[in-house]
């Protein structure tokens, strides 16, 4: 479903905190959790109140299960008026999608929209179209190009970023591994859907200027954020604050391989 651009557009803003006092955290992490090498980052913008979304939600779940793509699900809130309030929707997710609309020079937003590596989009219910973008980016150099690793142990979180070119934000995206929802009203009334990697919070935890960098965060703050997993995105942010190309990614998860 398509939505026109809002007359007063959302701004894409991420919380920037000094590292020394940073509160980034996820609950129920294992003693160790390692990052993976991902081929791409796929961000799905979806809604429990959108009848076109369940096939895209299923495809996102498949990508999350396979594990070679970092798959994240953002539930938007602009369909809540249609009879069902999405239990996972956040205004931050809606703002992020409108930010992408600016970056991608679109007049509006729609669900289900899959944004690939922050630079292109396709209907999230069309697996072939999403895969075509992943393959195109890999072939043309638009894919993930900077090594990013993240690990957790008793000492805290260590984020390591390799060298590259340009500047980017280090973004922490906190997500739930799995949520099963019984939808009682709206376009999907009567459905029970399991959502994977639903994003709960987003914040910027540091900046990268093209040189190899290691960022360490204390273990004492790991319980401060919602979610059971955390994705680390190395993402270009435009001057107006809108999200841009994702240069690298890693994931710490409460369930190995999820």
């Amino acid at each position: 479903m398509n939505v026109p651009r809002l007359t007063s557009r959302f701004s894409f803003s991420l919380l920037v905190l000094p590292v020394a006092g940073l509160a980034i955290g996820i609950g129920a992490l294992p003693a160790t959790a390692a990052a993976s090498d991902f081929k791409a980052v796929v961000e799905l913008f979806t809604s429990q109140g959108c009848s076109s979304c369940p096939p895209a939600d299923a495809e996102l779940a498949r990508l999350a299960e396979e594990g070679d793509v970092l798959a994240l699900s953002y539930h938007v809130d602009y369909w809540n008026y249609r009879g069902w309030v999405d239990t996972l929707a956040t205004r931050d997710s809606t703002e992020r999608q409108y930010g992408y609309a600016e970056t991608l020079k679109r007049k509006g937003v729609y669900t289900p929209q899959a944004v690939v590596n922050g630079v292109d989009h396709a209907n999230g219910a069309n697996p072939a179209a999403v895969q075509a973008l992943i393959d195109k980016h890999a072939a043309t150099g638009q894919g993930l190009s900077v090594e990013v690793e993240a690990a957790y142990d008793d000492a805290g979180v260590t984020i390591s970023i390799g060298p590259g070119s340009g500047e980017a934000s280090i973004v922490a995206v906190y997500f739930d591994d799995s949520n099963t929802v019984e939808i009682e009203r709206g376009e999907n009334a009567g459905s029970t859907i399991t959502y994977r990697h639903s994003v709960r919070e987003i914040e910027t935890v540091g900046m990268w200027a093209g040189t190899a960098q290691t960022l360490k965060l204390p273990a004492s703050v790991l319980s401060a954020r919602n979610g059971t997993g955390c994705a680390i995105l190395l993402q270009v942010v435009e001057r107006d604050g809108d999200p841009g190309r994702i240069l690298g990614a890693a994931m710490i998860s409460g369930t190995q391989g999820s």
Side-chain angles (χ1 to χ4, degrees), residues 33-149:
S36 301
D37 283 331
F38 294 109
K39 296 191 299 186
V41 176
V42 174
E43 298 174 279
L44 175 67
F45 293 91
T46 186
S47 173
Q48 295 168 11
C50 162
S51 61
S52 303
C53 287
D57 299 320
E59 174 61 16
L60 193 282
R62 184 188 69 81
L63 291 174
E65 191 65 28
E66 288 189 351
D68 58 352
V69 168
L70 177 50
L72 297 169
S73 179
Y74 297 82
H75 288 246
V76 298
D77 62 4
Y78 49 75
W79 294 127
N80 285 354
Y81 75 95
R82 299 175 69 93
W84 177 254
V85 175
D86 190 310
T87 61
L88 299 170
T90 68
R91 179 50 59 98
D92 284 348
S93 291
T94 300
E95 290 180 353
R96 185 167 177 83
Q97 188 181 26
Y98 272 94
Y100 273 131
E102 290 289 326
T103 300
L104 300 173
K105 303 188 185 306
R106 288 187 51 81
K107 294 182 179 180
V109 296
Y110 67 95
T111 54
Q113 181 186 33
V115 176
V116 179
N117 295 329
V119 297
D120 221 334
H121 72 101
N123 187 320
N126 187 338
V130 174
Q131 186 62 51
L133 290 180
I134 294 172
D135 294 341
K136 182 187 80 170
H137 293 177
T140 60
Q142 291 180 291
L144 306 183
S145 59
V146 178
E147 183 72 21
V148 178
E149 296 181 354

Side-chain angles (χ1 to χ4, degrees), residues 3 100 192 196-197 254:
V3 179
Y100 273 131
T192 299
R196 296 293 308 278
H197 291 190

